Amino acid sequence: MDLTELRGGVAGFAVWFREAPERWRARDRGPARERTRLTWSDLDAGTDWMILGENPGHEIVLGAVGKFWRPVVKWVPCEPRDFPDFATPGFGKVVWSFTAHPYGERRTLLSSEIRVTLTDPQAWLSFRRYWRISTPAVRIISRAVLRTIKHNAETGGATGP
């Protein structure tokens, strides 16, 4: 399952819109960066995101470090073991957790939580401006990710509408 293949047209537009500055910049600097997949397997193979913790079948926690408030995001390579102590000024750390809760005998309730911490006051101010504008899009994309996971669970990974 690739979490970048979102279910929902509005979410697709939100992602397209978020990537517009990078496409614009690439006009003068060559081709834009190839869009990174985000599958569970890819997380260990060099994406911007990493697995910070996992309780198989129950919970997984992802993380990334960067300046995600910039028009063209500057991600920073970081090993999971270094994530808690990363404190380079001017950056943010984002954590995204997914937790499966039993819901009756045949159903599961999936919850998701995103948390951000910033390494210094200037990063906090930059993120705050970004967050005021981006909150609706982040909500749309987060819900689309949950819909994608739900669809994958219900269809056994089959593609299509």
Side-chain angles (χ1 to χ4, degrees):
M1 172 178 62
D2 185 351
L3 294 176
T4 65
E5 295 176 2
L6 301 177
R7 302 191 63 77
V10 176
F13 176 76
V15 171
W16 177 87
F17 187 75
R18 178 63 178 101
E19 293 172 344
E22 190 165 349
R23 287 192 307 277
W24 180 262
R25 181 176 152 194
R27 294 179 352 177
D28 298 329
R29 299 181 184 193
R33 179 174 68 123
E34 189 73 26
R35 186 174 188 190
T36 304
R37 293 177 356 149
L38 187 55
T39 67
W40 305 128
S41 298
D42 292 331
L43 289 167
D44 289 332
T47 67
D48 300 317
W49 288 81
M50 68 196 99
I51 297 174
L52 296 175
E54 184 175 13
N55 180 354
H58 179 67
E59 183 175 33
I60 189 164
V61 180
L62 313 176
V65 176
K67 295 183 178 186
F68 29 87
W69 53 86
R70 296 181 69 182
V72 177
V73 178
K74 180 180 179 185
W75 296 107
V76 175
C78 182
E79 292 294 321
R81 70 179 173 276
D82 300 327
F83 186 87
D85 296 326
F86 182 91
T88 302
F91 289 91
K93 299 188 293 186
V94 59
V95 173
W96 196 354
S97 68
F98 298 92
T99 306
H101 306 276
Y103 192 69
E105 290 185 30
R106 299 183 55 206
R107 300 183 79 181
T108 300
L109 175 66
L110 182 66
S111 64
S112 172
E113 184 175 14
I114 299 172
R115 293 197 178 238
V116 174
T117 188
L118 293 307
T119 57
D120 66 0
Q122 184 57 47
W124 186 86
L125 289 171
S126 297
F127 177 77
R128 184 175 163 194
R129 287 189 294 268
Y130 162 77
W131 191 244
R132 284 183 181 162
I133 296 168
S134 67
T135 299
V138 170
R139 283 187 185 135
I140 290 166
I141 292 167
S142 298
R143 288 182 183 136
V145 166
L146 291 173
R147 278 194 306 276
T148 301
I149 294 170
K150 178 180 187 243
H151 174 78
N152 186 269
E154 291 176 346
T155 63
T159 59

